[in-house]
Short mmCIF file of all heavy atoms in Angstrom, two decimals:
data_model
loop_
_atom_site.label_atom_id
_atom_site.label_comp_id
_atom_site.label_asym_id
_atom_site.label_seq_id
_atom_site.Cartn_x
_atom_site.Cartn_y
_atom_site.Cartn_z
N VAL A 119 19.06 7.92 37.82
CA VAL A 119 18.07 7.67 38.87
C VAL A 119 18.56 8.20 40.23
O VAL A 119 17.78 8.60 41.07
CB VAL A 119 17.71 6.17 38.94
CG1 VAL A 119 16.77 5.88 40.09
CG2 VAL A 119 17.07 5.74 37.63
N LYS A 120 19.91 8.25 40.37
CA LYS A 120 20.50 8.81 41.59
C LYS A 120 20.08 10.28 41.79
O LYS A 120 20.02 10.78 42.90
CB LYS A 120 22.02 8.72 41.54
CG LYS A 120 22.57 7.32 41.65
CD LYS A 120 22.54 6.85 43.09
CE LYS A 120 23.18 5.50 43.34
NZ LYS A 120 23.11 4.50 42.30
N PHE A 122 17.22 11.43 41.33
CA PHE A 122 15.83 11.52 41.78
C PHE A 122 15.74 11.92 43.26
O PHE A 122 14.71 12.36 43.71
CB PHE A 122 15.10 10.18 41.54
CG PHE A 122 14.66 10.02 40.12
CD1 PHE A 122 15.24 10.76 39.10
CD2 PHE A 122 13.66 9.12 39.79
CE1 PHE A 122 14.83 10.62 37.79
CE2 PHE A 122 13.24 8.98 38.48
CZ PHE A 122 13.83 9.72 37.47
N GLY A 123 16.85 11.76 43.97
CA GLY A 123 16.87 12.16 45.37
C GLY A 123 17.30 13.62 45.55
O GLY A 123 17.49 14.06 46.68
N ALA A 153 18.01 0.84 35.68
CA ALA A 153 18.23 1.40 37.01
C ALA A 153 16.93 1.87 37.65
O ALA A 153 16.93 2.39 38.76
CB ALA A 153 19.21 2.56 36.92
N LEU A 154 15.83 1.69 36.96
CA LEU A 154 14.59 2.30 37.40
C LEU A 154 13.81 1.36 38.31
O LEU A 154 13.57 0.21 37.97
CB LEU A 154 13.75 2.64 36.17
CG LEU A 154 12.60 3.61 36.34
CD1 LEU A 154 13.11 4.94 36.87
CD2 LEU A 154 11.91 3.80 35.00
N MET A 155 13.44 1.86 39.48
CA MET A 155 12.60 1.06 40.36
C MET A 155 11.29 1.80 40.59
O MET A 155 11.21 2.70 41.41
CB MET A 155 13.31 0.78 41.67
CG MET A 155 14.46 -0.17 41.49
SD MET A 155 14.91 -0.99 43.00
CE MET A 155 15.42 0.40 43.98
N LEU A 156 10.31 1.41 39.82
CA LEU A 156 9.03 2.14 39.85
C LEU A 156 8.34 2.08 41.20
O LEU A 156 7.50 2.89 41.52
CB LEU A 156 8.09 1.61 38.76
CG LEU A 156 8.45 1.97 37.33
CD1 LEU A 156 7.46 1.37 36.36
CD2 LEU A 156 8.49 3.48 37.16
N GLU A 157 8.73 1.09 42.01
CA GLU A 157 8.07 0.90 43.30
C GLU A 157 8.53 1.96 44.31
O GLU A 157 7.84 2.23 45.28
CB GLU A 157 8.38 -0.49 43.88
CG GLU A 157 8.03 -1.66 42.96
CD GLU A 157 9.03 -1.82 41.82
OE1 GLU A 157 10.22 -1.44 41.99
OE2 GLU A 157 8.63 -2.28 40.74
N SER A 158 9.72 2.54 44.06
CA SER A 158 10.25 3.48 45.04
C SER A 158 9.44 4.77 45.07
O SER A 158 9.05 5.32 44.03
CB SER A 158 11.73 3.76 44.71
OG SER A 158 12.00 5.14 44.77
N ILE A 159 9.20 5.28 46.27
CA ILE A 159 8.39 6.48 46.45
C ILE A 159 9.06 7.69 45.82
O ILE A 159 8.42 8.52 45.18
CB ILE A 159 8.13 6.72 47.96
CG1 ILE A 159 7.21 5.61 48.49
CG2 ILE A 159 7.49 8.09 48.21
CD1 ILE A 159 6.96 5.67 49.98
N GLU A 160 10.40 7.75 45.99
CA GLU A 160 11.18 8.84 45.41
C GLU A 160 11.01 8.88 43.88
O GLU A 160 10.83 9.94 43.29
CB GLU A 160 12.66 8.59 45.71
CG GLU A 160 13.40 9.79 46.21
CD GLU A 160 14.75 9.37 46.79
OE1 GLU A 160 15.42 8.50 46.20
OE2 GLU A 160 15.12 9.91 47.85
N VAL A 161 11.09 7.69 43.28
CA VAL A 161 10.96 7.58 41.82
C VAL A 161 9.56 7.98 41.38
O VAL A 161 9.37 8.75 40.44
CB VAL A 161 11.30 6.15 41.35
CG1 VAL A 161 10.94 5.95 39.88
CG2 VAL A 161 12.78 5.87 41.57
N LYS A 162 8.56 7.49 42.08
CA LYS A 162 7.17 7.82 41.75
C LYS A 162 6.94 9.32 41.80
O LYS A 162 6.32 9.90 40.92
CB LYS A 162 6.20 7.16 42.75
CG LYS A 162 5.85 5.73 42.39
CD LYS A 162 4.78 5.21 43.35
CE LYS A 162 4.53 3.73 43.10
NZ LYS A 162 4.06 3.05 44.31
N ARG A 163 7.47 9.94 42.88
CA ARG A 163 7.25 11.37 43.05
C ARG A 163 7.94 12.17 41.93
O ARG A 163 7.36 13.08 41.35
CB ARG A 163 7.79 11.82 44.41
CG ARG A 163 7.44 13.29 44.73
CD ARG A 163 8.06 13.74 46.03
NE ARG A 163 7.64 12.92 47.15
CZ ARG A 163 8.44 12.55 48.15
NH1 ARG A 163 9.71 12.92 48.14
NH2 ARG A 163 7.99 11.82 49.15
N MET A 164 9.18 11.78 41.61
CA MET A 164 9.91 12.49 40.56
C MET A 164 9.21 12.35 39.22
O MET A 164 9.06 13.33 38.49
CB MET A 164 11.35 11.97 40.49
CG MET A 164 12.24 12.71 39.54
SD MET A 164 12.47 14.47 39.92
CE MET A 164 13.73 14.42 41.19
N LEU A 165 8.76 11.14 38.90
CA LEU A 165 8.08 10.93 37.61
C LEU A 165 6.78 11.74 37.55
O LEU A 165 6.43 12.29 36.50
CB LEU A 165 7.80 9.44 37.39
CG LEU A 165 9.04 8.60 37.10
CD1 LEU A 165 8.69 7.11 37.08
CD2 LEU A 165 9.68 9.00 35.77
N ARG A 166 6.10 11.83 38.68
CA ARG A 166 4.85 12.60 38.73
C ARG A 166 5.14 14.10 38.49
O ARG A 166 4.45 14.77 37.73
CB ARG A 166 4.14 12.39 40.08
CG ARG A 166 2.71 12.86 40.08
CD ARG A 166 1.86 12.36 41.26
NE ARG A 166 2.56 11.82 42.42
CZ ARG A 166 3.02 12.56 43.44
NH1 ARG A 166 2.88 13.87 43.43
NH2 ARG A 166 3.63 11.98 44.45
N TYR A 189 7.16 -2.42 32.61
CA TYR A 189 7.45 -1.00 32.82
C TYR A 189 6.80 -0.13 31.75
O TYR A 189 6.35 0.96 32.02
CB TYR A 189 8.97 -0.76 32.82
CG TYR A 189 9.57 -0.92 34.18
CD1 TYR A 189 9.09 -1.89 35.05
CD2 TYR A 189 10.59 -0.10 34.63
CE1 TYR A 189 9.63 -2.04 36.30
CE2 TYR A 189 11.14 -0.24 35.89
CZ TYR A 189 10.66 -1.22 36.72
OH TYR A 189 11.18 -1.36 37.96
N GLN A 192 3.39 0.68 32.70
CA GLN A 192 3.21 1.46 33.93
C GLN A 192 3.72 2.89 33.83
O GLN A 192 3.18 3.80 34.44
CB GLN A 192 3.99 0.80 35.08
CG GLN A 192 3.40 -0.51 35.56
CD GLN A 192 4.33 -1.13 36.60
OE1 GLN A 192 4.58 -0.54 37.64
NE2 GLN A 192 4.87 -2.28 36.29
N LEU A 193 4.79 3.05 33.05
CA LEU A 193 5.44 4.35 33.01
C LEU A 193 4.76 5.22 31.96
O LEU A 193 4.42 4.77 30.90
CB LEU A 193 6.91 4.14 32.62
CG LEU A 193 7.83 5.33 32.69
CD1 LEU A 193 8.17 5.63 34.13
CD2 LEU A 193 9.11 5.02 31.93
#
Side-chain angles (χ1 to χ4, degrees):
V119 176
K120 290 282 185 327
F122 280 20
L154 197 58
M155 290 202 297
L156 287 179
E157 305 75 28
S158 134
I159 292 176
E160 226 166 42
V161 170
K162 276 186 187 153
R163 187 184 302 141
M164 185 61 82
L165 289 172
R166 195 165 16 87
Y189 272 36
Q192 289 175 62
L193 188 75

